[in-house]
Every structure is written in structure tokens, then in C-alpha cells.
Amino acid sequence: MRHLIDFGDLSRAEWDSLYHRCSEIMDHPADFLDACKGRVMASLFYEPSTRTNFSFQTAMLRVGGTVFGFADPRSSSVAKGETLKDTVKMVSGYADVVVMRNPLEGAAKAASLYSNVPVINAGDGGHMHPTQTTADLTTITRLRGGVDGLSVGLCGDLKNGRTVHSLIKAMAKFQGVKFFLISPRELAVPEYMRAFMRENGMWFTEVTGLESVIPSLDVLYMTRIQRERFVDPLEYERNKGVYILTRRKLERARRDLLVMHPLPRVDEISIDVDDDPRAVYFEQARYGMFARMALLTDLANQPRMDPGAVEIGTVPVCRNPRCVTQAEHYLPPLVKQNGGLTCCAYCDAALE
Amino acid sequence: MRHLIDFGDLSRAEWDSLYHRCSEIMDHPADFLDACKGRVMASLFYEPSTRTNFSFQTAMLRVGGTVFGFADPRSSSVAKGETLKDTVKMVSGYADVVVMRNPLEGAAKAASLYSNVPVINAGDGGHMHPTQTTADLTTITRLRGGVDGLSVGLCGDLKNGRTVHSLIKAMAKFQGVKFFLISPRELAVPEYMRAFMRENGMWFTEVTGLESVIPSLDVLYMTRIQRERFVDPLEYERNKGVYILTRRKLERARRDLLVMHPLPRVDEISIDVDDDPRAVYFEQARYGMFARMALLTDLANQPRMDPGAVEIGTVPVCRNPRCVTQAEHYLPPLVKQNGGLTCCAYCDAALE
Amino acid sequence: MRHLIDFGDLSRAEWDSLYHRCSEIMDHPADFLDACKGRVMASLFYEPSTRTNFSFQTAMLRVGGTVFGFADPRSSSVAKGETLKDTVKMVSGYADVVVMRNPLEGAAKAASLYSNVPVINAGDGGHMHPTQTTADLTTITRLRGGVDGLSVGLCGDLKNGRTVHSLIKAMAKFQGVKFFLISPRELAVPEYMRAFMRENGMWFTEVTGLESVIPSLDVLYMTRIQRERFVDPLEYERNKGVYILTRRKLERARRDLLVMHPLPRVDEISIDVDDDPRAVYFEQARYGMFARMALLTDLANQPRMDPGAVEIGTVPVCRNPRCVTQAEHYLPPLVKQNGGLTCCAYCDAALE
């Protein structure tokens, strides 16, 4: 692995190896205090994301590295009058690893074409956020000994949730995972996710209520339902209580259930759940830091490498208006095959 | 000591021990270069305060630790849509010590209820700013050998000045301190501060002129008088010159006087005083950094600790509109006794 | 050298020594990982300049030092209600070296009067930016073995370009440099720069076309031409293509030409030039970081020193509206001789 753009790029063996290093770090943090000594991480956040930013920063600091960058492009002149390519060329001259958050889909992939050092995708619009998935899997593996064979409830907005889609895809690397997909019908998982689960022989069921399935779960992954997602506001009002986790609903859950949430929560988990030992969403954030430590000890220590000449594009081939190719016209027109479809290699949108 | 919320929580012995470590650091800084190696400080400034922020940051860096955080919540998404509790839970998963500045009174106390690591109050509204007091006492102790028995002039706005009130309270821990309280009548110390000094058997006198008492002083602590504090602007104009320290006024002062100021100054100390060896306000800022180094070598090295379950509140019992309980409704309704009064345990306001 | 305010203050021997250390760092970076251990750099950017800021930060981090400061005074309260002197006094109590970017000409010089630690000018308005010059000279020396005897083309806006003027002045320290000054007549070098080159016996020629001279060059230094600089917009349109470097124009250039640019570029270098091995503008940014590492290993390790008492000014003697003395009235009225002229010692403007 040279860059981490999409969790799907990792093989099961690469994940196992990453988790192995992560557990060494959790067990013996003092052994890693100088693991990235002399290494510098660029943290380029083209949109604010305090949690992810803090997690990456502290991860790098805890393995002995250092950090520079910007937390918001408004307070930076980088975003002005310069292409993403030129910024990456400059920054990858200063840094040993580049962490990038960008509102455009495919931005991290685009950056990786020009960077002399590894690029880590810290979120590219609604597209990918692979280190959230490493945080989630690390939490489950650490607290339950593994992912294989678990019954996982995913609750909330399953239609729009990037986190949830990534987690489902990632779990295809494991054996015998069962999914309980808990959402209002309006916000059920998209058809292509169902197709993905069928193709990968994954067991799943779709339900509209949380209470009935809670006793079956090893993991309950909560996400937020936003009022704006509903066509009919009354429908929102009728539904919202169903998807709020309360202490009472937890009564019938297993004693070793893990309640997870990518944070920030709003009110989808009642505050009185926090003191239940099954509520691990704050630990989950901390495990995310350890997972990033493992990732950085690998990527920040790779030798610098000239990315080589890159074809110069002229017109975007992708029609997705949020795709990075719409803004950076010099990008080469890369495509890839997803299943049987020809897709944009930056944002994964299907090409016509 | 696990948190530093209020300087008053420190016993005289704890202060002496803190100062002892501080003087070791000043005498042998090279011995402390790795004192916080591997430790990470979160610096959460919900309102800008560059001086305090810089002082804490450089303190942590100089003892080998590292720093992350935000300098202003506008450039952070933390403040949006998340409770203080959730932010503290997340951040205290990443950090070994949390430094917090917040415009709400009692915010640091509230944070300490949920944090897995020590919390240091870097100013909670107009309530407390304990490390300013440690800076002040360190300066005096270092330059005069101790605090006991000194004659201390406090000059300027003594009615509204948090710094001055904290210093008076802190000095109750020492023997034989005499206070010369120098202010316009409109801005004299509040009655409860007079009561405090009487109860603690502290000698004090109140005067309206600086010149007459300057020859008696060991320490002259200057503070700013803001025009807005005066009901009558003419009164401000008539008064302001009286409370400006000039080179001429210094002529009759002792040769070992210390002229102090919490900074920033506006015009209450004439610029021609700066080169007088008795002007120590810039050194005072530097001593504040050393005092924070001493504090951090202690607090950042404490083991993580689960704060345990916390009662969930519903309605604030305190009526102070600037109290953190007005904004964070889940906080438990804690009270304490101050003298004979029942007070809010967050902001110290008396409860009816 | 105690401060670096103006590259002109460096003797040839001092430059050679700085470059010597820089090349040791480039050859053996691991030997310098702790060169600034325990040292803290203040980075005071009163106007945003991401590239310069990132370069200084990473330079300090790569020699084992640490960094604090602000990237933009809007996100800092330092700029409010405090003189530059007081800020410098405070910050130089916390830091071992101060790096300052300021829109006022002469600001770094002013800061150096009050600082207990070395001050490095990271750009003071349109006046000086000495570390850009060290970046440029390091690039040329590293890639061509030296500067003496080279033919250097300077292309673009030679009238307003601070970078270009600094580079010409710096090259007066070397032997046998030939300048090809390539610009529209409206944007030719100012008369005082011609006078400077004649006085220093430097060979130069002025041309309006790039193509004819390109085969003669060892170094081609490109700069941006801004439309706003032209009185007649049509003149701009007629001219601009002439000063854009394309792959085709490069065909007749020497195989060991260096194409340089201070960055950011807009469109003055065509993107298809980037993959030509003669295009070294991204490496140039990286060499700038190494040059700053060399500078910081020297300056950040100097002992603290009281700058002593400074005369207090009252009225600025300089009439340059962008001079720091127009904003900070207490600055002493310093003058110096430039050639035969009496000039402001802060901004170098001639005094009447």
C-alpha cells in the first residue's frame, strides 16, 4: 500500500496486518514513541472536520511525528489561485505524508497522482472516508476479538450514510457477518448496496423498528436521521422516536453488545445511555486514533518517490458535478470497472 | 490535585511544591526537555486569548510534550451541534491533559466531570483564571524571594478585575501581606472582597491616588481602567491620568519595587517605564510560562482515569445567565458552601 | 548574524557558510534531527502566506524544534490593542526565534529592536523577503554547483517584482553573472536597479522577447505578469502570450537549463512544462525548506540577549505610507545611507 484512498483497496491480509500493528501500539504505546521521529505530516483540511483532524494530529504526535497544515481553507491562501496539483507538489516537498479532507469527490485520488509521498483520504465529499472504517473495525475487533460471524445492526439513515455504506463494503472481507438494516422505508439502503451484499453472499434483513431486533445484535451502529432527508416533515416526526436509542430499549439487548456511533451525535442516543458499559462510541473515537497511529507508522516512513509524468486532461469525462475533475481540468480522464460498469476512477460515478 | 479549576483549591503546601518544581525548571531547563515526552495537550479556546494560549503551548513544548486544539471556535466545528460533554469525552480520549478557555462561567468545572484526563482552567468567563495567579505569584517569589510580608499595591479597576480578586484570594495563603488598594471610588473592590480580607485577617487600605502610596510598595500591580466602566465619561477623563504609571511617578518608589501588569497594557503604563529595571511585566509573562511548565509536568503525566457516572440534570438551579449550567442542561445541579452562603458549584454565584 | 532582516546584510562568506550547512543537511538529514531540540519558533504571520509559513514550520520541525504562532491576525487577538513592541516582548519571552510576516515595510527591523531572540523577516510588505532569496540561491547552487558565471534570465514583471530585485542584489555577491532581463517595456526594471547593476559591474541586457534569448540561459526565472499592472488592458492582451513559458519555447533551451518560479504560478508556465526535467520550481520550494533549516539551526540556538534600552520616537521621519513607523509611533527615528542617499532604516525609502 502506498496511498490510502479507499478502504476497498486494502486486502484482508493488509487489514489484518494493519490491525496487528494497531494492537501492538495499544498494548505497548511506549515502544512507538519515536516510530515517526523526524517525520512530518501535512494536514490539509479544505473543509472543517475537527474530530477527524484531531484524531490524525494526535495519532501522528503519539508516534513521535510532527504536524503542519490548515484546518479550514478560509484561513489559508493555498486554496486561492492555485491548482490542487500545485498545492500537492509544494506540500509533498515539505511533508512525509499528506492527509487530505476535501469537499470534492475523488480529490484524494487526484492528489495521489502528483504527490511524492503517501496520501491518506480523510474524507472526499460524500464519497469515501476509509479511516472512519478502520476506526470502526478496530473497535469491534478489539472489543469482540474479531468481526467474523457477528450480527451487526445498522440503524438510522441508511440511504445517505457514507459511513454505513463503507462499513458494509468493508465487512465483505469477513466471514459470516449478518446485517440487520434498521431504517424508515424512505431511508433504506440503496439498491446497489443490496446488490453488493447479494453478490458477496452476505446475509441481511431490513426492518423498520429497532426494538424487535435489538436482542439479536452483537453490534448496534447508530447514525443520525436528518429531518431534511424526509419529503414529508410529519413522517419525520412520526418516525424519529423509533430510531432513538434509550436506556429502556437497551434493557433487552445482550450484555456484550457494542453500541457504536461515528459522532457527533445529536439526539439519536439518549444521554442516559452514555454510562452503560455497552456504550462504546467515545472509546470508538479513541480506537480511531490508534488505528491512525498504525497507518501513519507505515505510510509516513516510506521513501519519497517521484510519481512520474501524468497525462494532461482537457475536458472532464465524468458528469458528477461534485467530482474533482469538474474543478481541476488538467486531470487525466481515468476510468475503472466497478462490477460491470465503467466508472470515473476518481469519484466512482458511472459514466454514460 | 487532579484538575486545576480554581487557584483556591490549592493548599499552601501544594503551591509551595508547584513553585519548587517551577524553580527547578527555571534553574535547569535542560533537565526537563523530555519531562512530558509522548504526552499531548489539548488546547480548547472557545474564545480567543492569544497570550494565554501561547503561554500554555510553549510551556508544553518546552517540557517535550505536543499540542493540538483550536484557538477560536469559529474556525472549529466542535462548537457546533455538540454538547460540551461530548467534546470533552472525545478530546480527553486523544489528549493527556485538557486546557480550556471558555466564555461561560464554570465551564472548566463542568468539563472536569466528564474528562478522563486532568482539566486546567485557562479562564472561564469573568470567573476564574488560576494560571494567571500562578504567573503572578511565581514572578513575585522568584524576584523577591517570597510573598510573605510584602506591601502590595493594586491599582486600577479593582471592582471588575478578575485578576486582582484572584490575587487577593491567593495571597490569603501567605503571612503578613499588606494591600494598598488604589482606585477611583467608583471602581473600588466589591464589599465581598473587603469581607474576605477582614475574615482572613489581611491588612488593607483604600486610597484614590497612586503617587502618595508608591513609596511604601514592594509590588505595584497595575490594571487597565476601561472608559466603559464609568457612568460619567467626564469622571473618566478627570481620573485617568491619576492611574497612569509614568517614569516621573516611579522616581519616589523603592529601588527593588516590582511593577507588574497582566498584559496587554493599553496606556496605563507609560512606554518610558519599560526600560526601568523595576518594570517586570514582560518577565512576568515569561514566568507564567515557567509556572505552566511546572503544572503540566505534573498534570500531563497522570494516569488516565474514568470519571465515573455523573448524575443527569434537567433544569439549572443557578440563575447566573453566564453560568455554564444555563447552556448545558444535562449538568448535575451541584452546589457548595462559600462562607455561609449556598452557591453554584460551577460559577460560585449565590443561590436564592 | 543575529537577525535576518535583509539578505544584503549577509556577507559572501556568511552566505557560503549558510549554504555549506544547508548542503550538510541535504546530504545527511538524519544528523540534524535534534539540532534544535528544545527550541521553539514563534511564527507571527500578520498576513496569510501559506507557502512561506509551511516552509518555515516544516524546516523547524525537521531539525527537531517546535512551533507556535498565528497564520493570520484575524484569528488572533494579538493584533488588537497592542503595539508591535509589546507583542514582540511577550513572544520573545516564550520563543527562541521569531519569524515574522507583516504587511508594513520595516516591521521585522522594528521587531528586532525589542526582541530577546533572533528575528527572521519572512516578508515585510513589498520591501524584503530574504529567505526567498536564500531558497533561490540554494536551488541554483545545488543544481548547478555554484552561481558564479551563470547566465540568468529574469522574465515577467521586472518593475514590481520584489523577488527579482532581491535576487539581482544578492547576485552582486557573485562573480561574472550575466542578466537577461525579459519584460514588456512598461514593466522593465526600475532605473535604480539598472544603476545598482552598473555600479556593481554586472553585465545585463534588456529584451522584450523570451524566445530569442532562451538558448543563452543557464537559469530562467519566471514571474507573473498581473493584468492590473498595465495602463492599457489591450497592451496586456497583446503581450501576455510572449511571457508564457511553453514546452515548445523550451525546445531550443539548453539541456541543463533551470526553470525557476517563486510560486504560486498562475498561467505563466504552461502545465505541460512540469514534467520536463528542467522545470525545477517545485524542487525550488523544497530547497527553500532546507535553506530555512540551515538558518534555524544557527539562529534558534543563539543565547537570549537583552536588546537594551531603545530611544522613544514621537513623530515618524519617513513619509512612506507603508512604513512601519507610520503605525508604531514610539519607534526611534533611525536613518541609514544607501549609496549617497539618506534613507529610512526600516523601509529604505529615501528621506527628503
Side-chain angles (χ1 to χ4, degrees), chain C residues 44-235:
Chain C
L44 308 185
F45 277 63
Y46 286 84
E47 64 181 4
S49 175
T50 309
R51 272 160 217 81
T52 304
N53 195 349
F54 281 3
S55 181
F56 269 110
Q57 282 190 54
T58 52
M60 188 60 173
L61 297 172
R62 286 187 180 283
V63 290
T66 54
V67 180
F68 73 103
F70 51 83
D72 180 350
R74 280 170 300 180
S75 63
S76 159
S77 58
V78 152
K80 280 181 289 187
E82 189 176 63
T83 60
L84 183 65
K85 174 186 176 179
D86 280 17
T87 300
V88 168
K89 281 285 184 195
M90 183 253 300
V91 165
S92 75
Y94 298 153
D96 298 293
V97 64
V98 173
V99 172
M100 181 183 287
R101 173 86 164 212
N102 197 296
L104 295 174
E105 301 182 6
K109 169 73 178 173
S112 72
L113 299 178
Y114 303 104
S115 177
N116 295 76
V117 300
V119 173
I120 300 175
N121 187 0
D124 57 337
H127 182 228
M128 295 287 174
H129 189 14
T131 60
Q132 176 67 53
T133 307
T134 63
D136 297 342
L137 293 180
T138 297
T139 304
I140 297 171
T141 309
R142 182 74 173 180
L143 296 177
R144 293 297 303 252
V147 177
D148 297 316
L150 295 182
S151 290
V152 178
L154 302 169
C155 178
D157 178 353
L158 306 185
K159 182 178 173 192
N160 303 290
R162 172 179 64 180
T163 304
V164 161
H165 300 174
S166 297
L167 193 57
I168 292 173
K169 286 184 185 167
M171 285 190 163
K173 298 183 199 298
F174 298 88
Q175 303 299 316
V177 176
K178 290 185 180 174
F179 283 119
F180 295 79
L181 307 172
I182 308 153
S183 73
R185 284 200 179 79
E186 273 187 276
L187 300 178
V189 289
E191 184 48 37
Y192 68 82
M193 286 306 305
R194 278 188 209 99
F196 176 87
M197 289 185 280
R198 283 191 207 101
E199 280 163 25
N200 286 274
M202 300 167 86
W203 187 98
F204 69 97
T205 183
E206 298 186 74
V207 297
T208 55
L210 172 57
E211 288 200 68
S212 58
V213 299
I214 227 178
S216 313
L217 303 177
D218 296 304
V219 173
L220 172 56
Y221 201 104
M222 298 294 298
T223 65
R224 187 178 169 198
I225 296 187
Q226 292 178 272
R227 177 193 290 265
E228 311 84 84
R229 300 300 192 182
F230 280 81
V231 179
D232 177 359
L234 282 178
E235 190 68 13

Side-chain angles (χ1 to χ4, degrees), chain B residues 73-122:
Chain B
R74 280 171 301 181
S75 62
S76 160
S77 58
V78 152
K80 280 181 289 188
E82 191 177 62
T83 60
L84 183 65
K85 173 186 176 181
D86 280 15
T87 300
V88 168
K89 281 285 182 195
M90 184 252 302
V91 165
S92 76
Y94 298 153
D96 298 295
V97 63
V98 173
V99 172
M100 180 182 289
R101 173 85 163 212
N102 196 297
L104 294 174
E105 302 182 4
K109 169 72 178 173
S112 72
L113 299 178
Y114 302 104
S115 177
N116 295 77
V117 300
V119 173
I120 300 176
N121 187 1

Side-chain angles (χ1 to χ4, degrees), chain A residues 16-305:
Chain A
D16 285 345
S17 156
L18 184 65
Y19 179 76
H20 179 71
R21 191 183 307 106
C22 183
S23 43
E24 287 185 321
I25 292 173
M26 291 188 281
D27 293 336
H28 308 288
D31 293 354
F32 291 83
L33 282 184
D34 287 324
C36 286
K37 177 164 177 169
R39 301 294 169 169
V40 182
M41 178 182 104
S43 173
L44 307 185
F45 276 64
Y46 286 84
E47 63 181 5
S49 175
T50 309
R51 271 159 218 83
T52 304
N53 195 349
F54 282 4
S55 181
F56 269 110
Q57 282 190 54
T58 51
M60 188 61 173
L61 297 172
R62 286 188 179 283
V63 289
T66 54
V67 180
F68 74 103
F70 51 84
D72 180 351
R74 282 170 299 181
S75 62
S76 160
S77 58
V78 151
K80 279 182 290 188
E82 191 177 60
T83 60
L84 182 65
K85 174 186 175 179
D86 281 16
T87 301
V88 167
K89 281 285 183 195
M90 183 252 303
V91 165
S92 76
Y94 298 154
D96 299 294
V97 64
V98 172
V99 172
M100 180 182 288
R101 173 86 163 211
N102 196 295
L104 294 175
E105 301 182 4
K109 169 73 178 172
S112 72
L113 300 178
Y114 303 105
S115 177
N116 296 76
V117 300
V119 173
I120 300 175
N121 187 0
D124 57 337
H127 182 227
M128 295 287 173
H129 189 14
T131 59
Q132 177 66 53
T133 307
T134 63
D136 297 341
L137 293 181
T138 298
T139 304
I140 297 171
T141 310
R142 182 75 173 180
L143 296 177
R144 294 297 303 251
V147 177
D148 297 315
L150 295 183
S151 291
V152 178
L154 301 169
C155 177
D157 178 353
L158 306 186
K159 181 178 174 192
N160 303 289
R162 172 179 64 179
T163 305
V164 162
H165 301 174
S166 296
L167 194 56
I168 291 173
K169 286 184 185 168
M171 285 190 165
K173 299 184 200 295
F174 298 88
Q175 302 300 317
V177 176
K178 290 184 181 175
F179 283 119
F180 294 80
L181 307 172
I182 309 153
S183 71
R185 284 199 180 80
E186 275 187 276
L187 299 178
V189 288
E191 184 48 37
Y192 67 83
M193 287 305 304
R194 278 189 210 101
F196 176 87
M197 289 185 280
R198 284 191 208 104
E199 281 162 26
N200 286 274
M202 300 167 86
W203 188 97
F204 70 95
T205 183
E206 298 186 74
V207 298
T208 55
L210 172 57
E211 289 201 68
S212 58
V213 298
I214 229 178
S216 314
L217 303 177
D218 296 302
V219 172
L220 172 57
Y221 201 102
M222 298 295 297
T223 65
R224 187 179 168 198
I225 296 186
Q226 292 178 274
R227 176 193 292 264
E228 311 83 84
R229 301 300 193 183
F230 279 81
V231 180
D232 177 359
L234 282 178
E235 189 67 14
Y236 171 79
E237 291 303 327
R238 264 192 297 275
N239 265 305
K240 66 175 185 180
V242 175
Y243 304 101
I244 292 178
L245 184 66
T246 58
R247 184 173 278 229
R248 199 190 52 70
K249 284 183 192 152
L250 262 184
E251 278 168 13
R252 296 181 49 232
R254 291 186 188 156
R255 297 191 62 178
D256 56 0
L257 172 69
L258 303 181
V259 179
M260 298 176 65
H261 191 293
L263 301 181
R265 61 138 161 219
V266 180
D267 57 5
E268 56 277 13
I269 299 179
S270 169
I271 199 169
D272 62 7
V273 170
D274 297 359
D275 289 322
D276 189 297
R278 293 169 288 191
V280 300
Y281 28 89
F282 295 123
E283 287 91 329
Q284 183 183 355
R286 187 162 155 86
Y287 287 125
M289 177 184 74
F290 286 116
R292 291 178 177 105
M293 289 167 75
L295 187 64
L296 288 165
T297 55
D298 178 5
L299 295 186
N301 281 305
Q302 295 191 9
R304 293 178 64 75
M305 203 179 286

Side-chain angles (χ1 to χ4, degrees), chain C residues 232-250:
Chain C
D232 177 359
L234 282 178
E235 190 68 13
Y236 171 79
E237 293 301 328
R238 264 193 298 277
N239 265 305
K240 66 174 183 179
V242 175
Y243 304 102
I244 292 179
L245 184 64
T246 58
R247 184 172 278 229
R248 199 190 54 69
K249 284 183 193 152
L250 262 185

